[in-house]
C-alpha cells in the first residue's frame, strides 16, 4: 500500500509539473509546438513489456536485477548509436533510465502481487518473444533519438517532452505505476549533446 501511495504522489506531482504547457512561445510571438510522441510512445511500449518480464521472473524465481542482460542491452544500443552518429554515452544513459524504469515497474508489480489480496499472474511467460520485442523497441527508440536530436538538445525539449508525455499517458491509459516508470525512463532525454 505504501508504494502505491508513493507512486500516485509521484505521478500526480509529475503530471502537474509536466502538463501545463506543450508549447513554448517562439520569436515573433508565434507558438512553436514540439511533438515527441513517437519517442514517448515507444518508451511506453517498451515499459509495458516489464509486466510480462515481471510475471516470468516471479514464476521462475529469477531476480529482477539481471546485470548480464542489462550489459547486452547497453552494448547493443551503443552500437546503434555509433551507426546513427549519436553520442554512445548519451544513448547508454537514456537506456540506463529505460532499464531502471523497467525494474521500478517490476518491483512495484512484485509488491502488489505479494500484498494481501494481490493476484499474481498464473503461468510463466516465455521471455524469448518479449526480448525480441524489447530489442525491436530499442532500435525504434534509438531511431527516434536520432530523428529528434535537434529538439532533444534544445530549449524546446522540456516543454515538448511534457506535452508528449501527457499525450502518451492519456492515449496508453497508463496507471500510476507505469506513469512513474514513464517519467523515470525519460529522465535523460533532454540532455542530448
Amino acid at each position: 500500500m505504501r508504494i502505491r501511495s508513493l507512486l500516485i504522489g509521484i505521478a500526480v506531482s509529475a503530471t502537474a509539473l509536466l502538463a501545463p504547457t506543450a508549447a513554448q512561445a517562439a520569436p515573433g510571438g508565434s507558438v512553436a509546438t514540439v511533438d515527441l510522441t513517437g519517442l514517448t510512445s515507444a518508451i511506453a511500449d517498451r515499459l509495458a513489456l516489464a509486466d510480462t518480464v515481471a510475471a516470468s521472473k516471479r514464476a521462475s524465481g529469477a531476480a529482477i536485477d539481471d546485470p548480464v542482460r542489462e550489459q547486452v542491452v547497453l552494448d547493443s544500443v551503443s552500437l546503434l548509436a555509433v551507426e546513427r552518429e549519436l553520442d554512445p554515452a548519451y544513448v547508454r544513459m537514456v537506456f540506463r533510465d529505460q532499464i531502471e524504469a523497467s525494474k521500478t515497474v517490476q518491483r512495484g508489480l512484485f509488491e502488489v502481487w505479494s500484498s494481501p489480496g494481490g493476484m499474481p499472474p498464473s503461468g510463466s511467460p516465455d521471455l524469448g518473444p518479449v526480448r525480441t520485442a524489447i530489442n525491436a523497441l530499442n532500435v525504434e527508440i534509438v531511431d527516434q533519438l536520432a530523428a529528434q536530436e535537434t529538439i532533444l538538445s534544445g530549449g524546446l525539449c522540456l516543454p515538448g517532452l511534457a506535452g508528449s508525455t501527457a499525450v502518451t499517458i492519456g492515449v496508453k491509459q497508463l496507471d500510476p505505476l507505469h506513469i512513474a516508470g514513464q517519467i523515470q525512463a525519460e529522465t535523460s532525454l533532454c540532455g542530448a549533446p
Side-chain angles (χ1 to χ4, degrees), residues 24 34-36 39 85-87 90 93-94 144-161 186-193:
Q24 181 171 332
V34 175
D35 183 7
L36 295 170
L39 179 57
E85 299 181 2
L86 293 170
D87 178 8
Y90 166 71
M93 185 171 49
V94 167
Q144 284 289 324
L145 294 175
Q148 303 295 344
E149 185 178 14
T150 301
I151 293 168
L152 294 171
S153 63
L156 292 177
C157 184
L158 284 175
L161 184 59
E186 296 175 354
T187 302
S188 300
L189 291 178
C190 289

Side-chain angles (χ1 to χ4, degrees), residues 24-32:
Q24 181 171 332
S30 65
V31 175

Side-chain angles (χ1 to χ4, degrees), residues 48-160:
L49 294 171
D51 296 30
T52 305
V53 172
S56 177
K57 287 179 178 179
R58 187 179 191 287
S60 69
I64 290 174
D65 290 290
D66 185 352
V68 172
R69 171 69 182 155
E70 292 171 23
Q71 190 61 50
V72 168
V73 169
L74 294 173
D75 290 346
S76 170
V77 298
S78 292
L79 291 173
L80 292 171
V82 170
E83 290 171 5
R84 286 151 181 82
E85 299 181 2
L86 293 170
D87 178 8
Y90 166 71
V91 173
R92 286 178 76 88
M93 185 171 49
V94 167
F95 275 88
R96 173 56 57 198
D97 293 342
Q98 307 306 304
I99 291 167
E100 292 304 318
S102 177
K103 292 191 292 189
T104 294
V105 169
Q106 291 174 52
R107 287 186 183 102
L109 291 171
F110 270 44
E111 187 166 321
V112 168
W113 296 334
S114 300
S115 66
M119 298 293 291
S122 60
S124 180
D126 179 9
L127 283 184
V130 175
R131 286 186 172 159
T132 299
I134 290 171
N135 291 342
L137 285 163
N138 290 349
V139 173
E140 184 176 344
I141 292 168
V142 174
D143 287 343
Q144 284 289 324
L145 294 175
Q148 303 295 344
E149 185 178 14
T150 301
I151 293 168
L152 294 171
S153 63
L156 292 177
C157 184
L158 284 175

